């Protein structure tokens, strides 16, 4: 099973409030609310549209879909063409999707809170479930995601959680609390890493203090900052991409990690993953259809095709992330030590990270100040 590396979550510079201003500046109108029903009215689509007259362009993280996907889609759906644009971060994707004019993108892969912000800005086409019968393959829990209950404007592609990845043979105590990272014991001093991506940098301290992962209260964020500042002298460093390598080499003994990036299938079997007792998050990467798309029927057909169990299972088998597709996961042979067997009900114990609108800048400032401190 391969592990694709990319940075999926960068600073939330594109909040709902920021997107609303951007859309207005381009001469459009936008809702400024990130909650409630889809911000854009649904177009009238044709269930029996001739897809041979439509083309597709998607933007997705490199390695997040099969390289042969365009050829398979053209053969299966009979579309004229399919092009794949790549982004390495949510921020890069949002730059494409919010630029003045038509981006040319029909379907975009972005994380849940970014889909929420795009929808609030009126940039997404509501999902037409009658055009995606394979939605029936999703776990029931996949319809209960707090940023988009009922999958009104997004369809989940992968999901997971964040926890503590650790070397079983190098820790003197199996970690079970975020405080094991935040206040490392002497044997782990300067052998711990944290992620710098804003909401995930704050996550351990937020949960250790008993707050919501979506808190926007100044007094709570100030206490989070104090805890992270006190932790910093005891860190090996901040690392969003190579923490697994540091564990494998023994340079680190405990790291904050997304589950799919924790190398628990290491042949030596000495790497574990802990879900802290204070709780964690539920992250989701989604597929959305742009309101500007001129190929909306083909876009729905593409999502339906991806939700086919044979196609969707590729993600679990090749990028080591769980997919919210029950029929697809039933096809996956789960290796020993893999975290792919975490059940949907367990994932939903995590708190979904949602777009906080203008309040997201508080996390930008927090991250900048903590990582800049000497």
């Amino acid at each position: 099973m391969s592990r694709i590396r990319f940075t999926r979550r960068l600073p939330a510079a594109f909040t709902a409030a920021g997107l609303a201003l951007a859309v207005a500046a381009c001469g459009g109108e936008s809702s400024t609310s990130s909650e409630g029903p889809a911000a854009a009215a649904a177009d009238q689509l044709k269930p029996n549209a001739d897809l041979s007259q439509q083309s597709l362009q998607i933007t997705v993280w490199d390695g997040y879909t099969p390289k042969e996907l365009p050829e398979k889609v053209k053969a299966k759906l009979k579309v004229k063409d399919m092009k794949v644009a790549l982004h390495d971060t949510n921020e890069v994707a949002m730059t494409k999707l919010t630029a003045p004019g038509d981006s040319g993108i029909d379907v975009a892969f972005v994380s849940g809170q970014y889909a929420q912000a795009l929808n609030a800005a009126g940039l997404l086409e509501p999902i037409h479930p009658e055009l995606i019968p394979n939605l029936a393959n999703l776990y029931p829990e996949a319809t209960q995601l707090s940023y988009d209950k009922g999958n009104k404007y997004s369809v989940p592609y992968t999901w997971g959680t964040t926890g503590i990845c650790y070397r079983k043979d190098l820790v003197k105590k199996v970690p079970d609390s975020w405080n094991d990272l935040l206040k490392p014991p002497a044997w782990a001093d300067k052998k711990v890493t944290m992620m710098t991506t804003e909401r995930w940098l704050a996550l351990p301290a937020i949960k250790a203090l008993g707050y919501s992962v979506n808190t926007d209260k100044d007094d709570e964020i100030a206490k989070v900052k104090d805890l992270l500042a006190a932790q910093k002298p005891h860190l090996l460093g901040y690392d969003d991409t190579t923490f697994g390598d540091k564990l494998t080499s023994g340079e680190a003994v405990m790291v904050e990690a997304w589950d799919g990036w924790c190398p628990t299938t290491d042949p030596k079997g000495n790497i574990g993953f802990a879900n802290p007792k204070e709780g964690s998050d539920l992250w989701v990467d989604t597929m959305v259809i742009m309101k500007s798309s001129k190929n909306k029927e083909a876009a729905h057909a593409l999502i339906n095709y991806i939700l086919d169990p044979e196609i969707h299972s590729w993600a679990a088998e090749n990028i080591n992330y769980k997919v919210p597709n029950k029929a697809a996961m039933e096809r996956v042979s789960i290796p020993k030590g893999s975290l792919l067997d975490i059940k949907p009900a367990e994932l939903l114990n995590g708190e979904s990270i949602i777009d906080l609108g203008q309040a997201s800048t508080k996390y930008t400032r927090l991250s900048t100040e903590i990582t800049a401190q000497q």
Side-chain angles (χ1 to χ4, degrees), residues 160-172:
T161 189
T162 308
I164 302 173
C165 191
Y166 65 96
R167 277 286 295 264
K168 297 177 184 178
D169 56 331
L170 297 180
V171 298
K172 295 185 178 180

Side-chain angles (χ1 to χ4, degrees), residues 129-204:
E130 70 277 8
L131 298 184
I132 310 179
N134 281 336
L135 286 170
N137 291 331
L138 296 178
Y139 288 105
E141 292 87 348
T143 67
Q144 299 303 311
L145 304 169
S146 60
Y147 65 86
D148 181 21
K149 288 195 173 183
N151 310 127
K152 292 181 175 63
Y153 55 82
S154 65
V155 176
Y157 180 69
T158 55
W159 59 359
T161 189
T162 308
I164 302 173
C165 191
Y166 65 96
R167 277 286 295 264
K168 297 177 184 178
D169 56 331
L170 297 180
V171 298
K172 295 185 178 180
K173 167 187 171 294
V174 174
D176 63 358
S177 167
W178 286 119
N179 283 312
D180 292 323
L181 282 182
L182 295 164
K183 303 173 182 178
W187 50 265
D189 194 54
K190 295 191 181 298
K191 295 181 179 180
V192 170
T193 70
M194 291 275 287
M195 295 191 286
T196 59
T197 308
E198 294 170 358
R199 303 290 291 276
W200 282 268
L201 170 64
L203 173 67

Side-chain angles (χ1 to χ4, degrees), residues 215-230:
T215 184
D216 61 359
K217 297 178 180 177
D218 291 337
D219 60 332
E220 294 183 352
I221 293 175
K223 291 177 181 176
V224 167
K225 180 182 177 182
D226 289 343
L227 190 49
L228 292 174

Side-chain angles (χ1 to χ4, degrees), residues 8-60:
R8 300 179 312 110
R9 304 169 179 83
L10 270 194
F14 295 93
T15 63
L19 280 174
L21 292 172
V23 172
C26 295
E29 295 181 356
S30 169
S31 162
T32 56
S33 170
S34 61
E35 300 178 355
D43 285 355
Q44 294 294 319
L45 303 187
K46 300 175 182 178
N48 298 314
D50 181 2
L51 299 187
S52 69
Q53 300 304 306
Q54 298 188 21
S55 298
L56 285 168
Q57 183 168 350
I58 70 172
T59 184
V60 64

Side-chain angles (χ1 to χ4, degrees), residues 8-9 61 64 110-112 155-158 283-287:
R8 300 179 312 110
R9 304 169 179 83
W61 294 281
Y64 220 41
V110 294
S111 296
V155 176
Y157 180 69
T158 55
W283 61 259
V284 186
D285 288 338
T286 73
M287 299 175 284

Side-chain angles (χ1 to χ4, degrees), residues 269-303:
N270 58 12
I271 295 179
F273 184 83
N275 292 297
K277 60 187 178 184
E278 299 91 349
S280 189
D281 67 334
L282 165 61
W283 61 259
V284 186
D285 288 338
T286 73
M287 299 175 284
V288 298
I289 297 173
M290 301 307 298
K291 188 67 179 173
S292 58
S293 170
K294 298 177 177 62
N295 307 287
K296 293 187 177 71
E297 288 90 354
H300 281 81
L302 171 64
I303 292 176

Side-chain angles (χ1 to χ4, degrees), residues 113-126:
Q113 67 269 35
Y114 294 85
Q116 182 186 4
L118 286 168
N119 179 65
L123 298 179
L124 298 184
E125 173 68 20

Side-chain angles (χ1 to χ4, degrees), residues 2-9 61-62 64 88 161-162 165 195 197 239-248 255-265 271-273 283 285 319-322 339:
S2 64
R3 177 174 282 103
I4 304 299
R5 284 192 171 160
F6 44 81
T7 303
R8 300 179 312 110
R9 304 169 179 83
W61 294 281
D62 191 12
Y64 220 41
D88 55 1
T161 189
T162 308
C165 191
M195 295 191 286
T197 308
D239 188 345
D240 291 49
T241 57
T242 63
F243 47 73
D245 293 338
K246 289 182 172 65
L247 279 178
T248 302
V255 300
E256 181 191 10
W258 295 303
D259 51 350
W261 283 24
C262 181
T264 54
T265 55
I271 295 179
F273 184 83
W283 61 259
D285 288 338
I319 60 176
N320 207 31
Y321 280 142
K322 294 168 289 298
L339 299 174

